[in-house]
Amino acid sequence: MSIYQDHFAGLSELERLAAMAADPERVHELGADQWPLAMMACGLMTCNDETKRAENNRIYGIFIEKCPVAARRGSLPNLARFITGRKGEGWQALLPYAGVEQDAATAAKAALLIATLAKPDKDTPLAGVRAVVDLLCHAESCTVGPLIAVLSLADMRVLPLLRPLLALPQERLAELISPLSGAANRLSCTWLAEVVTTYPALAPTVAAALARLLAKAPTVLDVAMPIPTWAYTTPAPQPLHGWTPAEYYARLLPTLSPLLSPEQLSLLRTACRVS
């Protein structure tokens, strides 16, 4: 039995929609109202077949053409409920929503679901985080959304899984870092410090990102995330430590002072409300 069979009574309808989406001759017969379910069907029916990933990415490109952002984003709660009900099975159906989707907010939401719902493997409970990082490393169309999602986890267990990003070309790292948004946490600050340590030429980009994130953070948090969330009765993040932005600036200063200019350090002091 396939993993979705006991969750969708209309199995034949799902098979028909997935077949139409994959058929170049019939794909354009799908109406806009059918596309959200068709895309979910394509992902769920092939979620364990890595050879189908490129085909699903191609189909998702058509999904983008046929449906507005709200309709594409509206598929995510349905997929999340399915994956939660199956204790992490089927999470791969979310990959095109994170790696091909061009609306960064929707891609971030999908990436966060991958990171928090993916079934752990023998190597790490954070198999979903590793998959999101792999998208950032290899999916040319990937937006900043997935990076925002994994950094928002604020869990330092994520840091080693982010290190493959340091092998990206400087230009690509700059593209990902420049639009970073959200509030700073220990994970995001530490990763950005590693970026500028590896690539000093990115100091202006990193300094601007740190200032932007720290200015939005009332407290710089370090937390333990309940991952996968479906394994917990009440999946609430557990705060481990917190710093004021001024306190965190003092923690960053030994690493950043040799790498940033006086003007860039002044920008950070202002963002951190250092008196």
Side-chain angles (χ1 to χ4, degrees):
M1 179 184 290
S2 59
I3 66 170
Y4 55 85
Q5 193 165 352
D6 56 345
H7 275 254
F8 292 99
L11 179 60
S12 60
E13 176 68 3
L14 281 183
E15 290 178 324
R16 185 181 72 84
L17 290 172
M20 289 178 66
D23 186 344
E25 298 296 325
R26 301 196 60 194
V27 62
H28 299 295
E29 296 176 19
L30 288 170
D33 60 331
Q34 294 174 298
W35 262 105
L37 186 57
M39 191 66 239
M40 287 190 287
C42 288
L44 292 172
M45 293 179 70
T46 61
C47 61
N48 294 320
D49 186 351
E50 293 189 10
T51 67
K52 299 293 186 180
R53 300 278 168 82
E55 175 69 0
N56 282 345
N57 288 345
R58 182 191 67 79
I59 294 170
Y60 195 91
I62 304 174
F63 184 33
I64 290 174
E65 295 174 4
K66 299 294 183 180
C67 290
V69 169
R72 304 195 303 269
R73 192 180 303 169
S75 302
L76 296 177
N78 293 326
L79 282 169
R81 282 191 291 270
F82 172 83
I83 295 163
T84 298
R86 295 296 301 187
K87 298 189 182 303
E89 294 284 353
W91 65 267
Q92 297 91 338
L94 289 162
L95 289 171
Y97 294 82
V100 181
E101 174 60 55
Q102 291 304 290
D103 177 68
T106 301
K109 186 173 182 179
L112 191 61
L113 291 174
I114 293 170
T116 56
L117 295 179
K119 187 175 182 177
D121 61 27
K122 62 181 180 180
D123 297 322
T124 175
L126 305 181
V129 173
R130 185 173 56 198
V132 172
V133 172
D134 189 63
L135 286 177
L136 287 163
C137 286
H138 299 109
E140 294 181 3
S141 61
C142 197
T143 69
V144 69
L147 180 58
I148 292 173
V150 293
L151 291 177
S152 74
L153 293 172
D155 188 323
M156 288 297 286
R157 293 178 297 167
V158 171
L159 184 62
L161 300 175
L162 289 172
R163 290 195 172 122
L165 295 176
L166 298 178
L168 289 173
Q170 290 189 51
E171 295 79 6
R172 176 58 174 155
L173 276 171
E175 288 175 1
L176 291 171
I177 293 169
S178 292
L180 275 180
S181 60
N185 56 59
R186 185 185 177 195
L187 172 65
S188 60
C189 290
T190 304
W191 181 72
L192 286 167
E194 288 194 357
V195 171
V196 74
T197 301
T198 305
Y199 296 113
L202 291 179
T205 303
V206 169
L210 279 170
R212 193 166 56 249
L213 301 185
L214 285 162
K216 294 181 180 179
T219 305
V220 179
L221 290 173
D222 178 16
V223 308
M225 284 293 294
I227 297 175
T229 53
W230 46 260
Y232 296 82
T233 304
T234 53
Q238 179 184 352
L240 301 178
H241 202 86
W243 301 264
T244 67
E247 289 170 338
Y248 211 81
Y249 173 80
R251 287 175 60 88
L252 288 170
L253 194 56
T255 299
L256 297 182
S257 58
L259 300 167
L260 302 189
S261 70
E263 294 77 14
Q264 291 158 358
L265 290 171
S266 176
L267 180 68
L268 287 182
R269 282 196 298 272
T270 300
C272 293
R273 288 82 80 188
V274 176
S275 56

